[in-house]
Amino acid sequence: MGHVIELRTPAEIEEMRPAGRFVAGVIEATSKAAAVGVNLLELDALAHEMIRKAGAESCYIDYHPSFGASPFGKVICTSVNDAVLHGLPRDYTLKDGDLLTVDFAASVDGWVADSAISVVVGTPREEDLRLIDTTRRALDAGISAARPGNRIGDISRAIADVAKAEGLSINTDFGGHGVGRTMHGEPHVPNNGRPGRGLPLKPGLVIAIEPWFLHTTDRIFTDPDGWTLRSVDGSRGAHSEHTIAITDGDPIVLTARG
């Protein structure tokens, strides 16, 4: 049995907009609150409070996939410096120059949206800004390729072309995914692939596209906390993610900010 790829009606995509708006708002608020001297647990508390006020539901707090050591227990991912994905918020105070990724997914009225942003706290390093910019351009390229008539591989290749032009290597263990009633569904959307291959893109397909790259490696390991994924060589990582809906024309970016 293959996994079912669900296509959403235009009405259902409209119903997903509040989730997208809410997730965008939390990403914006937490990334803006990230400053020198702010603790990661404060960012988690801010997201928690926003979830409570909106009557939304966390996708993370009870999340326990096969690769997780235990249920996640927090509502946002905060990955700092050499951490790039699934950063479990901990008692850590942000320092000048830290590269922070905030990743957040929540459910509003039964629909999920998922988004991520990387920012530099305080004084930035040029190479960190460039890495963040590369993930953003790769995300834009992936979104541009998300059109009917293309395939998943066309999105993957568009992302990879941006990374490779910057001399970055690409990990394909973790990438984008289907989004709907749950946070992670089919199809998997790797950050590298072959054009013209994979699932044909059809209107109504809702996916999260999420390029993430490390400065000098594509290999990661799991921190002793059982969740946080770090680069094997200590180099820093950046990550950009949006939830998008494929339509007959331009894709709709459900988690667009501002």
Side-chain angles (χ1 to χ4, degrees):
M1 286 282 293
H3 290 278
V4 178
I5 307 278
E6 297 188 72
L7 297 178
R8 306 296 172 188
T9 64
E12 285 177 319
I13 289 169
E14 287 305 306
E15 285 172 16
M16 296 181 84
R17 283 185 187 271
R21 274 196 297 271
F22 173 68
V23 166
V26 173
I27 288 279
E28 208 148 23
T30 50
S31 61
K32 284 204 170 104
V36 176
V38 172
N39 194 290
L40 297 180
L41 296 175
E42 293 176 71
L43 298 180
D44 184 65
L46 170 60
H48 225 129
E49 180 62 9
M50 291 180 78
I51 288 170
R52 192 185 64 73
K53 279 193 176 142
E57 265 178 69
S58 168
C59 291
Y60 289 170
I61 203 156
D62 300 321
Y63 187 55
H64 191 186
S66 55
F67 59 79
S70 57
F72 192 74
K74 297 286 190 283
V75 298
I76 198 162
C77 291
T78 52
S79 304
V80 181
N81 295 337
D82 64 324
V84 67
L85 296 173
H86 308 161
L88 184 62
R90 61 192 167 96
D91 181 11
Y92 173 83
T93 301
L94 290 165
K95 298 177 180 57
D96 189 47
D98 277 350
L99 199 175
L100 169 70
T101 297
V102 176
D103 190 348
F104 181 72
S107 172
V108 176
D109 299 329
W111 293 106
V112 171
D114 189 0
S115 186
I117 190 174
S118 290
V119 293
V120 177
V121 176
T123 318
R125 299 182 189 177
E126 190 54 48
E127 66 267 24
D128 288 345
L129 294 178
R130 186 159 177 168
L131 187 68
I132 291 169
D133 181 62
T134 304
T135 66
R136 287 185 184 159
R137 286 186 294 111
L139 177 57
D140 288 344
I143 292 170
S144 295
R147 295 174 174 278
N150 279 354
R151 290 173 176 260
I152 291 287
D154 294 302
I155 297 176
S156 302
R157 173 45 64 91
I159 291 168
D161 283 348
V162 174
K164 286 174 177 166
E166 291 291 329
L168 299 171
S169 54
I170 301 162
N171 175 298
T172 50
D173 294 343
F174 294 93
H177 48 88
V179 179
R181 294 290 186 185
T182 58
M183 176 169 61
H184 285 134
E186 295 295 323
H188 176 55
V189 187
N191 289 324
N192 194 0
R194 291 164 66 186
R197 302 296 287 270
L199 180 80
L201 304 178
K202 296 198 171 109
L205 183 67
V206 179
I207 53 175
I209 299 177
E210 49 177 318
W212 60 275
F213 309 127
L214 300 158
H215 273 306
T216 52
T217 185
D218 56 20
R219 290 174 53 228
I220 48 180
F221 72 95
T222 307
D223 185 88
D225 69 16
W227 278 99
T228 305
L229 294 173
R230 298 183 181 278
S231 67
V232 293
D233 65 356
S235 67
R236 294 173 167 214
H239 178 193
S240 294
E241 176 182 18
H242 274 312
T243 297
I244 68 146
I246 294 170
T247 71
D248 290 319
D250 293 337
I252 298 167
V253 181
L254 292 165
T255 49
R257 293 181 287 272

